[in-house]
Amino acid sequence: MSMLNNKIKMIVCDMAGTIINEKRIIYKTIFNTLQQMGINNIKASEMNKWHGRDKSEVLASYLHNIEHIKEGEKLLVKRLDDEYFGKEQVELIDSRLFDVFDKLRSNDIKVCLNTGYPERFQKKIIKHFNLNEHVDDYISSEEVLYGRPYPFMIHRLMERNTILCSKQVIKIGDTVNDIKEGKNAKCGVTIGVLTGADSNEQLANAGADIVLNKIVDIENISII
């Protein structure tokens, strides 16, 4: 990749919409959760502005009472659990995903995941898809002060994996907030993918260096 001056040492991948095909379940589920909590003055389209953000933060913006927020978080996780695992609607974004991850790791590139999902739910997804056998590390926005578009998840992953230069990190995701996160972390490259929430134009306008159809297309880019 000609734009890089340093060898890439880590790739940080979003989960829902990037490596997991969840058919936009999350935004429908947040909307339905808010409706059940009595927030009836919003439209489903309003969820678009929250693509990639911390899910608890989304709820807190509408449910201002602490007890209501906690109740909403429990309800959201219960609904997501049913949609993800009860109805088995979700799947890996591509059957070649693990081969791509394994190739990156064999070339000494750390493969890490980050998400706006609660930590417990993230771990359940990882266990369900056996992702722990194909990635080096993962983090939830619950583990840092602020999630996307702030850079704290990426910085924490760098610290845990002894990556000293953010220019040696690629951030990849399907939302504008993923791209902003990568830019705020000063990653060497930010890559958008078209398998999730936001469009080619939206990702490019947010500053994506590259936009791919899906994450496995990273095979076609020289990053090693």
Side-chain angles (χ1 to χ4, degrees), residues 4-22:
L4 292 179
N5 295 319
N6 299 292
K7 177 179 170 64
I8 290 299
K9 292 186 176 180
M10 174 185 286
I11 179 170
V12 179
C13 310
D14 169 55
M15 293 181 66
T18 301
I19 68 164
I20 306 293
N21 180 12
E22 50 94 66

Side-chain angles (χ1 to χ4, degrees), residues 20-35:
I20 306 293
N21 180 12
E22 50 94 66
K23 306 173 179 69
R24 298 175 71 91
I25 287 171
I26 178 57
Y27 304 109
K28 296 174 186 176
T29 306
I30 292 174
F31 178 75
N32 291 335
T33 298
L34 289 170
Q35 293 275 292

Side-chain angles (χ1 to χ4, degrees), residues 31-44 62:
F31 178 75
N32 291 335
T33 298
L34 289 170
Q35 293 275 292
Q36 187 170 338
M37 293 293 296
I39 307 300
N40 300 309
N41 59 339
I42 58 173
K43 296 180 180 180
Y62 296 97

Side-chain angles (χ1 to χ4, degrees), residues 8-13 101 104-113 134-137 157 160-163 168-170:
I8 290 299
K9 292 186 176 180
M10 174 185 286
I11 179 170
V12 179
C13 310
F101 279 179
L104 290 167
R105 297 175 76 203
S106 71
N107 283 279
D108 297 321
I109 297 175
K110 299 282 189 181
V111 175
C112 301
L113 309 177
H134 302 276
V135 303
D136 296 285
D137 203 351
L157 287 169
R160 292 200 309 223
N161 290 276
T162 323
I163 306 297
Q168 296 176 320
V169 178
I170 289 177

Side-chain angles (χ1 to χ4, degrees), residues 27-194:
Y27 304 109
K28 296 174 186 176
T29 306
I30 292 174
F31 178 75
N32 291 335
T33 298
L34 289 170
Q35 293 275 292
Q36 187 170 338
M37 293 293 296
I39 307 300
N40 300 309
N41 59 339
I42 58 173
K43 296 180 180 180
S45 60
E46 191 169 326
M47 295 298 101
N48 292 343
K49 69 181 181 181
W50 297 107
H51 290 170
R53 297 289 287 271
D54 181 289
K55 307 311 179 269
S56 296
E57 178 188 354
V58 180
L59 293 176
S61 69
Y62 296 97
L63 305 171
H64 304 295
N65 179 285
I66 295 296
E67 293 304 316
H68 286 173
I69 293 170
K70 290 181 179 179
E71 182 182 348
E73 288 173 349
K74 290 180 181 178
L75 180 59
L76 176 63
V77 170
K78 184 176 183 299
R79 282 177 170 271
L80 282 173
D81 196 274
D82 180 56
E83 294 289 339
Y84 261 66
F85 309 113
K87 298 179 182 179
E88 296 186 352
Q89 295 191 66
V90 297
E91 58 191 359
L92 291 177
I93 210 76
D94 192 283
S95 61
R96 295 171 291 157
L97 181 69
F98 288 163
D99 289 338
V100 172
F101 279 179
D102 292 346
K103 182 178 179 181
L104 290 167
R105 297 175 76 203
S106 71
N107 283 279
D108 297 321
I109 297 175
K110 299 282 189 181
V111 175
C112 301
L113 309 177
N114 72 348
T115 187
Y117 281 138
E119 183 178 4
R120 182 178 68 83
F121 194 69
Q122 180 192 36
K123 288 180 178 178
K124 190 164 185 177
I125 295 170
I126 286 168
K127 182 178 180 181
H128 180 77
F129 288 105
N130 294 318
L131 281 159
N132 58 313
E133 297 181 9
H134 302 276
V135 303
D136 296 285
D137 203 351
Y138 52 86
I139 191 170
S140 161
S141 55
E142 273 192 348
E143 299 176 62
V144 294
L145 185 61
Y146 296 112
R148 302 176 190 128
Y150 295 94
F152 303 131
M153 284 193 286
I154 294 176
H155 288 167
R156 184 70 59 84
L157 287 169
M158 288 176 60
E159 181 181 3
R160 292 200 309 223
N161 290 276
T162 323
I163 306 297
L164 303 181
C165 178
S166 61
K167 295 300 181 185
Q168 296 176 320
V169 178
I170 289 177
K171 167 61 189 181
I172 184 165
D174 67 298
T175 72
V176 164
N177 280 306
D178 284 297
I179 303 305
K180 289 181 177 179
E181 177 190 31
K183 292 298 182 183
N184 288 336
K186 302 188 185 305
C187 291
V189 181
T190 56
I191 300 177
V193 291
L194 300 177

Side-chain angles (χ1 to χ4, degrees), residues 190-217:
T190 56
I191 300 177
V193 291
L194 300 177
T195 46
D198 291 333
S199 69
N200 191 330
E201 182 179 12
Q202 288 172 313
L203 295 168
N205 287 343
D209 298 302
I210 303 168
V211 178
L212 302 173
N213 285 325
K214 58 175 61 177
I215 189 172
V216 293
D217 294 335

